[in-house]
Amino acid sequence: MNTIRILDKSVAERIAAGEVVERPASVVKELIENSIDAQAHAVSVEIREGGVSLIRVSDNGIGMSRADAALALERFATSKIVAAEDLSAIRTLGFRGEALPSIANVAQLEILTRTGGEIEGTRVRVVNGQAEVQVAGAPIGAQVVVRDLFYNAPARRKFQKSPLRETELIQKTLMTYALAYPRIAFRFVVDGREAVNLAPSQELERIGAVWGRQVAAEMVEVSYTSVDLHVHGFVSRPTLARASREWQTFFVNNRPVRSGLLTMMLERPYAGRLPPGRHPLAVIWIDVDPHLLDVNVHPRKAEVRFYQERAIYGAVTQATAQALHDFPQTIQSGQMDWSFANAASEGPMALALHESVADYGAGPWRAVGQIHNTYILAQSMDGLAIVDQHAAQEQIFYEQLTSASPGSSILGGDQPPPISSQIQLMPQEAELVNEHLEEYRSLGIEIEPFGENTFRLMAIPVFIPVDGLELITALVQEHERYRTLEGDELRDKLAAKAACISAIKAGDVLTPVQQQALLDALGQAYSPATCPHGRPVFVMLRLEELERRFLRR
Ligand SMILES: Nc1ncnc2c1ncn2[C@@H]1O[C@H](COP(=O)(O)OP(=O)(O)O)[C@@H](O)[C@H]1O
Ligand SMILES: [Mg+2]
């Protein structure tokens, strides 16, 4: 008996729709792309309840004629390509003619539009799978309204995250396009409240509007041109870095793309300029001849394939390397082998304190004492190190937590976990934690769902001195702050938080033995010079400096 059958058209379409429309943010992405393709100068996105009850995207682009508006809802209806050859020369963001019909498949869709050449506009509504076209008053441009997303796909609906998180994802999407297209005005209205309003601007100005003015001030321009390739944009000075790669955006022919390789090529010139685990920020536009590009490799068009990869990746590295030329390489990776050849170039006011990655490696440090219950003085081979005890232990813990195997340690050893290890969370927190148990586990923290919004703490790393429940409570709070993160980026934030609350504090008295133990542990650290937040762990006062200041030479 035959078991393979061709799917019903409606079922097949529903499946295809699922590939394009994964969640509210993917609807917003497609609609913004359509507005940009329609040459809009202003795009406004309005949502309600995380986009599930309403998404409205309005633009002042070229709009659609009545006939086109009706056609736009047909599958594979597109004004952007005609023949298969056109696929290799795509300049627009859309080309598949799939977005609008896919959205119409899983939501109530309505288009209101008018072209410059028409007096009357058009309203198109999809009712029971049939497009209903009416004459209607409308400004030039298009407005697409999507209501009741996934009303007919309960499974999809169930998988949506909380409205707050969906809203954040939508805002992230919008901000990405705002970075890519600084000359377009963007507005974002959430449940009737304006959350974002960006005027048309220059590139760097837009970066400032999206990421903050201080960030923009720390960015340097990059640029590289060859025959059929142009790379330009902005990367952060080594003084500015983040623990995650969330702030790295690449646009290939103005299309936002994700690519581990591009990231790698961007970060290469930062070697020796950023401590391990720190990542530069970047906004980079790569413009290539569309023939060198295959944009048709990903259902949501988030990835592209280059035909001349080497040239393109090389250009990114080269452009960045040029921009960083003036910033010295002061960090050598590898442990304990840092010679900090800093000629005495301080001005008169510069205290002889190098808050930097000095040659920590020149042999073990001997604890001399503690001052103000906050700093440990240590004799090094060639001078004196002043160590911030909190930052030092924070970094040590952080590295232990993020190491490949944090050496998780079962609460109570081989015994069953104590009953007192249950924790009750708010529904929203519970949902968040539930989705990311893996990231917690990677830090050696085992939590198990245990009834409604309740979890059981099974294990925490041995070296964490704080109470398990206190630890989890603090981590969940931190997690809420970074609720859009996942994977390594989330793990990083959680590890930094766990390290921070576990570390000795400024003001804690340490015995000489404890002081020395801390210095010894720091000596084993991979990146002893900075704490997880990027602050220095110690400053050096060199013998040379002392000699100079005491006029011995
Ligand atoms: N905001 C808009 N302004 C003008 N035309 C639009 C707009 N949105 C969609 N269209 C028209 O509808 C067609 C179908 O859109 P879509 O389903 O997203 O497919 P694609 O973008 O791949 O062509 C587009 O090719 C375009 O002609
Ligand atoms: Mg489109």
Side-chain angles (χ1 to χ4, degrees):
M1 201 177 83
N2 265 0
T3 48
I4 298 185
R5 279 178 299 152
I6 305 286
L7 286 176
D8 235 34
K9 183 162 167 270
S10 67
V11 180
E13 281 176 357
R14 183 82 59 82
I15 292 171
E19 281 193 1
V20 181
V21 187
E22 189 192 26
R23 56 175 354 114
S26 32
V27 173
V28 171
K29 171 189 190 292
E30 293 293 339
L31 298 182
I32 291 179
E33 288 193 351
N34 281 348
S35 296
I36 293 171
D37 283 346
Q39 296 149 44
H41 300 290
V43 177
S44 170
V45 177
E46 186 191 337
I47 62 163
R48 288 193 184 274
E49 293 177 63
V52 172
S53 69
L54 174 89
I55 295 171
R56 187 199 317 268
V57 176
S58 325
D59 67 53
N60 60 357
I62 58 173
M64 283 169 269
S65 68
R66 190 154 309 142
D68 279 351
L71 253 185
L73 294 174
E74 296 276 330
R75 204 156 149 71
F76 308 125
T78 178
S79 56
K80 298 167 193 175
I81 56 173
V82 179
E85 303 89 84
D86 299 345
L87 263 181
S88 60
I90 284 173
R91 280 274 172 211
T92 51
L93 293 168
F95 51 86
R96 291 212 184 108
E98 266 185 334
L100 291 179
S102 297
I103 296 167
N105 231 301
V106 291
Q108 315 287 353
L109 181 84
E110 187 180 314
I111 303 175
L112 188 66
T113 183
R114 181 162 72 91
T115 61
E118 293 170 310
I119 304 167
E120 288 171 324
T122 303
R123 170 178 283 123
V124 185
R125 229 184 258 152
V126 185
V127 181
N128 300 329
Q130 290 296 308
E132 226 181 66
V133 185
Q134 296 167 344
V135 175
I140 295 177
Q143 183 183 94
V144 178
V145 185
V146 177
R147 287 197 177 86
D148 243 341
L149 188 58
F150 302 129
Y151 74 98
N152 57 358
R156 212 15 91 102
R157 195 157 189 157
K158 206 166 137 237
F159 274 107
Q160 299 307 303
K161 315 209 158 154
S162 66
L164 195 65
R165 179 145 155 80
E166 294 298 342
T167 301
E168 280 167 347
L169 289 169
I170 292 171
Q171 179 155 348
K172 222 168 141 179
T173 303
L174 181 127
M175 290 308 211
T176 303
Y177 285 91
L179 281 174
Y181 293 87
R183 280 166 197 88
I184 298 179
F186 282 91
R187 219 167 77 92
F188 185 39
V189 178
V190 180
D191 297 318
R193 226 195 61 249
E194 184 174 87
V196 174
N197 192 343
L198 302 170
S201 52
Q202 303 296 318
E203 290 164 349
L204 194 55
E205 247 182 290
R206 177 58 64 88
I207 293 174
V210 173
W211 285 345
R213 292 242 297 279
Q214 303 95 309
V215 169
E218 291 291 303
M219 304 290 277
V220 284
E221 194 160 2
V222 298
S223 166
Y224 175 93
T225 306
S226 73
V227 190
D228 42 18
L229 175 65
H230 180 54
V231 173
H232 84 286
F234 298 86
V235 300
S236 56
R237 298 200 168 100
T239 42
L240 174 71
R242 294 279 147 96
S244 87
R245 298 192 164 101
E246 229 196 323
W247 288 267
Q248 296 179 358
T249 35
F250 297 94
F251 306 115
V252 176
N253 289 356
N254 264 331
R255 177 191 307 281
V257 296
R258 282 180 278 125
S259 156
L261 264 174
L262 283 177
T263 292
M264 219 175 85
M265 300 314 275
L266 163 77
E267 294 196 356
R268 207 168 258 185
Y270 283 89
R273 295 182 167 98
L274 286 181
R278 306 270 111 190
H279 305 285
L281 293 74
V283 181
I284 293 184
W285 289 266
I286 300 169
D287 293 305
V288 291
D289 185 322
H291 289 102
L292 299 180
L293 211 57
D294 186 355
V295 290
N296 196 18
V297 291
H298 188 273
R300 287 180 296 283
K301 298 169 288 186
E303 283 161 19
V304 294
R305 188 175 295 142
F306 297 116
Y307 292 122
Q308 289 190 358
E309 296 193 336
R310 231 183 255 165
I312 290 162
Y313 295 134
V316 171
T317 299
Q318 200 154 329
T320 309
Q322 272 168 18
L324 296 182
H325 188 77
D326 295 338
F327 302 97
Q329 277 177 297
T330 51
I331 301 168
Q332 280 174 20
S333 37
Q335 297 181 13
M336 313 301 280
D337 180 29
W338 299 344
S339 54
F340 188 62
N342 184 320
S345 59
E346 299 85 12
M349 277 305 291
L351 288 175
L353 298 176
H354 297 286
E355 23 168 314
S356 180
V357 280
D359 47 348
Y360 184 79
W365 286 357
R366 187 169 60 77
V368 177
Q370 192 189 24
I371 55 170
H372 300 287
N373 295 336
T374 301
Y375 304 104
I376 299 169
L377 302 186
Q379 178 179 317
S380 70
M381 275 265 275
D382 65 345
L384 171 73
I386 305 170
V387 180
D388 179 320
Q389 62 191 38
H390 172 69
Q393 201 172 39
E394 205 176 30
Q395 179 62 18
I396 294 163
F397 282 162
Y398 172 80
E399 290 190 16
Q400 277 173 290
L401 283 164
T402 53
S403 70
S405 50
S408 163
S409 44
I410 313 306
L411 278 185
D414 294 335
Q415 319 296 316
I419 305 299
S420 61
S421 64
Q422 278 180 25
I423 180 165
Q424 171 92 32
L425 299 177
M426 302 294 287
Q428 261 196 18
E429 298 170 333
E431 188 192 332
L432 197 61
V433 170
N434 224 340
E435 275 167 22
H436 296 283
L437 292 173
E438 196 40 55
E439 285 93 332
Y440 284 84
R441 191 165 304 135
S442 70
L443 298 174
I445 300 169
E446 298 269 354
I447 19 186
E448 264 185 19
F450 192 64
E452 200 167 328
N453 302 328
T454 305
F455 293 82
R456 208 154 58 156
L457 182 57
M458 309 300 282
I460 63 169
V462 233
F463 55 88
I464 294 275
V466 293
D467 172 67
L469 293 185
E470 189 188 328
L471 174 74
I472 297 301
T473 310
L475 290 187
V476 171
Q477 256 178 34
E478 188 74 352
H479 193 165
E480 278 266 301
R481 281 184 60 196
Y482 295 102
R483 40 178 29 255
T484 55
L485 298 187
E486 50 195 19
D488 284 355
E489 296 178 347
L490 174 61
R491 189 177 83 137
D492 252 28
K493 293 286 185 224
L494 295 179
K497 186 67 188 181
C500 182
I501 63 167
S502 306
I504 36 169
K505 306 278 176 293
D508 289 350
V509 181
L510 299 183
T511 65
V513 172
Q514 289 171 321
Q515 295 166 26
Q516 188 59 50
L518 187 66
L519 294 179
D520 292 343
L522 189 63
Q524 300 297 315
Y526 179 61
S527 173
T530 37
C531 80
H533 308 102
R535 288 193 294 272
V537 167
F538 56 85
V539 295
M540 290 296 294
L541 186 51
R542 259 158 237 291
L543 281 178
E544 268 168 63
E545 291 289 345
L546 287 175
E547 284 167 5
R548 230 197 349 262
R549 295 171 74 83
F550 286 111
L551 304 180
R552 282 172 165 270
R553 63 163 175 178

